[in-house]
Amino acid sequence: MNFNFNSLSEQNFTSAAGQYLRPYNIYDVNLTKIEKTTLKGSKDPNAEYPVIALEFTGCGDDKGVFTTNLFIPTTESDMERKMLKNANGHENPVPSRFEEFQFTLMQIVHALNPTGEEKIKENASKIKSIDQFIDLIIKALSNKNNITTKLKLVGRNNNGTIYAAIPRACGINKAGEIFPVNFIGDNLFFTNYELTQQKKYQDAKPTNMDKVDSSDDDDMDLDDLEV
């Protein structure tokens, strides 16, 4: 029997698949994917939700990927701010889904294509639909996968498993004014609360990755939408 080993020089024999960036860290990354797509509902398999799918890939010593889906605002309720109780029981307003969506994408554009950010701002009055806005964002971020930036990830608890997540990109002050909260680019840091959560995560027992279904991260927001 003749064995052919000609493919040895071109074949990879190890895989980096399944290697994800962990929560509560700041990484050097490239934006390696941004696209408009849809996700099927977890409760209603016939339901579909439009999302912006993002993928960041670590650079240098920061090996791994981070993926997330931003749900595209489509309803009147997505434009409304809601009240959320804090640890002291006081209710405070939180940004609407539309505001969070807008700030998240514009902050990414600011980090990777500041010239594109200025062009979007200059033409803001001409944007008449969410689809126009998304088209401008994707155009501004196309071919920017070679630009390295910093990305801050926190944790999101889903059924006892902590998944990496982008922090809220904006907040509302006592005067009712919205302000940005940096998660990408320069001058990133963890708040005191995030440092407390980071320590809890680091001190916790290691997660059995064999029992983790990575699709759970997508289902969290789907369940919220289907209440």
Side-chain angles (χ1 to χ4, degrees), residues 108-152:
I108 296 172
V109 174
H110 174 80
L112 300 180
N113 186 359
T115 301
E117 177 196 23
E118 289 305 315
K119 289 182 179 179
I120 292 174
K121 287 182 175 181
E122 290 170 5
N123 292 280
S125 62
K126 301 177 183 178
I127 303 174
K128 303 301 181 183
S129 70
I130 195 73
D131 287 329
Q132 277 184 300
F133 173 69
I134 291 170
D135 288 343
L136 288 172
I137 292 292
I138 291 177
K139 183 178 180 180
L141 293 174
S142 295
N143 302 317
K144 302 300 179 184
N145 58 312
N146 62 334
I147 299 176
T148 300
T149 188
K150 297 282 187 182
L151 177 69
K152 170 184 167 182

Side-chain angles (χ1 to χ4, degrees), residues 124-215:
S125 62
K126 301 177 183 178
I127 303 174
K128 303 301 181 183
S129 70
I130 195 73
D131 287 329
Q132 277 184 300
F133 173 69
I134 291 170
D135 288 343
L136 288 172
I137 292 292
I138 291 177
K139 183 178 180 180
L141 293 174
S142 295
N143 302 317
K144 302 300 179 184
N145 58 312
N146 62 334
I147 299 176
T148 300
T149 188
K150 297 282 187 182
L151 177 69
K152 170 184 167 182
L153 296 178
V154 294
R156 177 182 289 175
N157 190 322
N158 183 38
N159 296 326
T161 299
I162 306 298
Y163 294 92
I166 291 176
R168 286 188 178 274
C170 53
I172 299 174
N173 63 23
K174 292 182 179 180
E177 301 165 334
I178 195 164
F179 61 91
V181 180
N182 294 350
F183 71 88
I184 190 171
D186 300 325
N187 303 317
L188 302 182
F189 62 91
F190 290 108
T191 65
N192 289 336
Y193 173 78
E194 290 167 344
L195 289 172
T196 300
Q197 298 303 110
Q198 180 191 60
K199 189 175 188 309
K200 287 182 181 179
Y201 172 76
Q202 292 171 344
D203 292 344
K205 294 181 179 179
T207 301
N208 183 349
M209 298 308 292
D210 291 336
K211 296 181 179 179
V212 172
D213 180 358
S214 61
S215 65

